Amino acid sequence: MISGEEDAPLQCGSESSIIRQRNTRRAGRVVGVEHRSASANNVIFPRRARGYVSKILTLLILAALLRCSLSFNSARLQQQQGRDGRALRRDIVAHSDRISSRHAQEHVGCTVITPQTRSGRVLSQQTQMQQPRAQQSSMMLHPASRQVTSSASSSSSSSSSALSMAALSTSPPPYPVRVAVLGGGNFGLALASVLGRKGIPVTLLVRSDEIAQQLNTEHRHPRYMNDVSLPTTIRATSDPKTALSDATYVVHSVPVQYSRAFLNDVKDYIPKGVPVLSASKGIETTSLGFMADILRECLGDDRSYAFLSGPSFAREICEGVATAVVIASEDVDLTDDFADLFSSENFRVYTSHDVIGVEIGGAVKNVIALAAGMCEGLGLGTNAMSGLVTRGCAEMRRLGLALGARPSTIAGLSGVGDTFGTCFGPLSRNRKFGYRLGQGETMEEILASTTEVAEGVDTAIALRAMIKKRLKGYRLDLKYPILFGVAEILEGDQTPMNGMKGLMNMPMRKEAFERYSD
């Protein structure tokens, strides 16, 4: 008993020491685990960092490869289309100082251009590179062209500035820049004047030899703007082969309703790959298509197309009044080419890639101008006309959004800008047509008394049919009351006064009920 009692404290002391030792070992294990965890984290973090870096590098490499692929496809597409706008501009600048007396060779004399004289002109331009063939080339010249060549060879050479957007040029750009303008109407004459004042060789394709002869001799059109003198650099012909054989740019200025038949007649003479600029505005009544649709159906997809629009009255352009327009194309380089070609100190060209937006603005503004003219003819005052034009622009914007146009395009030169000019300008044919309707004249009386085409008349009917065909919705006439109302007036279903009363008695609603985004 005594020995057991003496051993008890010893046992308690030994157990305490054992417990302390166990706690120490456990703490050591915990510290070791924490140390190993920290080491593992230090190892894992660099691995993750390296993974992020490798992913970023992979994305950068893929982006570079994608960019190279897009550049290669773009270059290949330009080569397939048979043109390279940037190379053409470099050639223009590089050879601008080498122009000699070609201006006199082409434009001295008053006879209508013939295929023989044109071939002689081309051969004379190659004599610097092909001296041994000079005599043979001169033997092939038309007699009139031979006389022009001999008189031009005696004149001194004159230098020319590069094709520039800053100032007008007095001499033509170097070969091969040649522009053929299809259509000798008001706007065709205006665009030819813009190029002619810069010294660019322009050939007008007109209806008859008599008109061509008068344009070449008197430099005036016998019917359109006959009081306006045209630049002497403009030549005219009624032969499609003569006008288009060596053209590098084609400008189409034939009214939309006659464009398909005209293009089918001349398409075999347009060189392959030559780009076409359309200045026609409207919607075809038979196909309900825009000019972009007509051009591709008639001339194919193996060339580039551009479209010009904006507030631009033909007479003011011919008189040299400051004008701003927009040219749209899906071909980025082509818009720059045409901007360089047409721009001058009096003619400002902006570029866009929203083709459908530019075409919608150019077509709808003529219909709104008819309504504005009716409002003025009824004597309803400035308040009514301003409200009518503003609501018409809202319908234009709504239609543009439905067909994929950008709101910024509708609000630009081709949309609101052209609408203002056409609705309020005294030179507007569509506003005059609507004014006479508001005064009580019939369509037959108006059409019989004028030779000028008001594009809005046919476009209004085609536009209503196109909206019903392409757009789905309930009561489209409530969404486009002005556009539908003009078509009804032209078809004789109601009078201008009843149409205006119908607009004023429409149900109350918000001014803008859709959310616009650009």
Side-chain angles (χ1 to χ4, degrees):
M1 296 293 295
I2 298 174
S3 59
E5 293 176 357
E6 293 178 352
D7 293 340
L10 294 174
Q11 293 177 356
C12 292
S14 62
E15 289 179 358
S16 299
S17 62
I18 292 172
I19 292 172
R20 285 196 299 270
Q21 292 176 0
R22 289 177 179 175
N23 292 337
T24 301
R25 288 194 297 270
R26 186 179 296 111
R29 286 195 299 269
V30 171
V31 172
V33 170
E34 293 178 352
H35 179 72
R36 287 193 298 273
S37 299
S39 300
N41 290 334
N42 292 335
V43 173
I44 293 173
F45 179 75
R47 290 178 181 175
R48 291 180 178 176
R50 288 195 297 270
Y52 292 149
V53 172
S54 63
K55 290 180 180 180
I56 293 174
L57 291 176
T58 302
L59 291 176
L60 291 176
I61 294 173
L62 291 176
L65 292 175
L66 179 60
R67 184 176 181 180
C68 294
S69 176
L70 292 176
S71 300
F72 175 76
N73 291 335
S74 177
R76 184 174 60 181
L77 179 60
Q78 288 183 356
Q79 184 178 6
Q80 291 175 353
Q81 291 176 344
R83 57 168 300 278
D84 187 348
R86 287 171 292 187
L88 179 59
R89 291 195 296 273
R90 288 196 298 267
D91 291 341
I92 292 175
V93 175
H95 295 87
S96 60
D97 294 331
R98 301 180 185 178
I99 300 177
S100 58
S101 58
R102 188 180 305 118
H103 180 67
Q105 294 177 11
E106 293 178 0
H107 303 296
V108 173
C110 298
T111 57
V112 180
I113 299 176
T114 62
Q116 291 83 1
T117 58
R118 183 176 293 274
S119 62
R121 179 180 66 192
V122 175
L123 289 172
S124 65
Q125 291 165 349
Q126 297 175 346
T127 54
Q128 293 182 354
M129 296 182 294
Q130 301 178 0
Q131 292 293 339
R133 296 178 57 186
Q135 287 185 339
Q136 182 180 1
S137 299
S138 62
M139 295 294 292
M140 296 174 62
L141 295 177
H142 188 271
S145 177
R146 190 181 300 117
Q147 181 180 0
V148 170
T149 305
S150 62
S151 62
S153 61
S154 61
S155 61
S156 59
S157 300
S158 59
S159 62
S160 172
S161 60
L163 190 60
S164 173
M165 295 176 61
L168 293 176
S169 174
T170 57
S171 299
Y175 189 82
V177 176
R178 294 289 183 272
V179 180
V181 178
L182 309 182
N186 286 330
F187 209 70
L189 295 173
L191 294 180
S193 297
V194 173
L195 299 174
R197 286 196 297 265
K198 297 180 67 173
I200 297 174
V202 182
T203 303
L204 269 173
L205 181 58
V206 296
R207 297 178 181 178
S208 64
D209 291 335
E210 291 77 13
I211 296 177
Q213 184 69 27
Q214 187 164 348
L215 283 169
N216 291 328
T217 55
E218 301 180 10
H219 307 293
R220 299 175 187 271
H221 197 284
R223 296 174 58 187
Y224 303 117
M225 297 186 295
N226 52 17
D227 59 331
V228 175
S229 180
L230 302 174
T232 58
T233 51
I234 299 175
R235 311 302 298 163
T237 180
S238 60
D239 182 14
K241 183 177 180 180
T242 301
L244 297 167
S245 61
D246 64 347
T248 54
Y249 294 103
V250 174
V251 178
H252 179 81
S253 187
V254 178
V256 173
Q257 309 306 328
Y258 307 97
S259 290
R260 185 178 295 274
F262 181 88
L263 290 171
N264 287 331
D265 291 338
V266 303
K267 63 181 180 181
D268 294 333
Y269 303 103
I270 302 178
K272 183 179 179 180
V274 170
V276 178
L277 172 66
S278 172
S280 305
K281 306 172 186 178
I283 301 174
E284 190 179 32
T285 56
T286 55
S287 65
L288 304 181
F290 293 98
M291 276 305 304
D293 306 314
I294 299 173
L295 286 172
R296 287 188 172 87
E297 291 173 5
C298 294
L299 303 182
D301 294 324
D302 61 342
R303 67 181 77 244
S304 297
Y305 301 100
F307 305 87
L308 184 148
S309 188
S312 49
F313 290 119
R315 177 173 290 275
E316 292 187 358
I317 295 175
C318 290
E319 293 174 351
V321 179
T323 303
V325 298
V326 60
I327 293 179
S329 175
E330 297 175 356
D331 188 334
V332 179
D333 290 330
L334 184 60
T335 56
D336 295 335
D337 289 345
F338 277 123
D340 291 341
L341 191 67
F342 281 92
S343 292
S344 68
E345 60 185 8
N346 297 326
F347 197 81
R348 173 75 174 178
V349 178
Y350 292 89
T351 61
S352 172
H353 309 307
D354 186 7
V355 173
I356 185 64
V358 169
E359 290 232 81
I360 288 174
V364 177
K365 61 97 179 181
N366 288 327
V367 182
I368 300 175
L370 289 173
M374 296 179 200
C375 183
E376 184 180 2
L378 292 171
L380 298 180
T382 305
N383 292 346
M385 183 181 294
S386 300
L388 180 69
V389 173
T390 303
R391 296 307 304 167
C393 290
E395 294 184 19
M396 178 193 296
R397 183 184 180 100
R398 187 175 299 119
L399 177 61
L401 290 174
L403 296 181
R406 296 179 62 84
S408 57
T409 304
I410 302 300
L413 289 170
S414 62
V416 174
D418 207 355
T419 302
F420 285 172
T422 310
C423 291
F424 300 109
L427 299 177
S428 171
R429 298 189 299 269
N430 293 283
R431 187 192 65 83
K432 292 178 182 178
F433 196 100
Y435 179 83
R436 296 178 66 177
L437 285 175
Q439 289 283 306
E441 297 186 54
T442 63
M443 281 189 57
E444 291 74 15
E445 293 173 347
I446 301 174
L447 294 174
S449 63
T450 181
T451 59
E452 297 181 341
V453 178
E455 296 91 344
V457 175
D458 292 323
T459 299
I461 300 174
L463 180 62
R464 183 183 60 177
M466 186 202 70
I467 291 175
K468 291 182 177 180
K469 179 180 179 181
R470 295 193 183 185
L471 305 184
K472 304 298 181 182
Y474 177 72
R475 294 299 303 272
L476 292 173
D477 57 325
L478 296 179
K479 293 182 178 180
Y480 306 97
I482 297 176
L483 302 183
F484 277 48
V486 171
E488 292 176 358
I489 294 172
L490 294 176
E491 291 181 335
D493 295 335
Q494 64 176 336
T495 64
M497 180 57 75
N498 290 335
M500 183 59 65
K501 290 180 179 179
L503 290 175
M504 297 302 295
N505 292 324
M506 287 186 63
M508 303 296 293
R509 62 178 184 177
K510 294 181 179 180
E511 181 181 13
F513 54 85
E514 64 262 82
R515 298 183 63 183
Y516 295 135
S517 61
D518 192 0

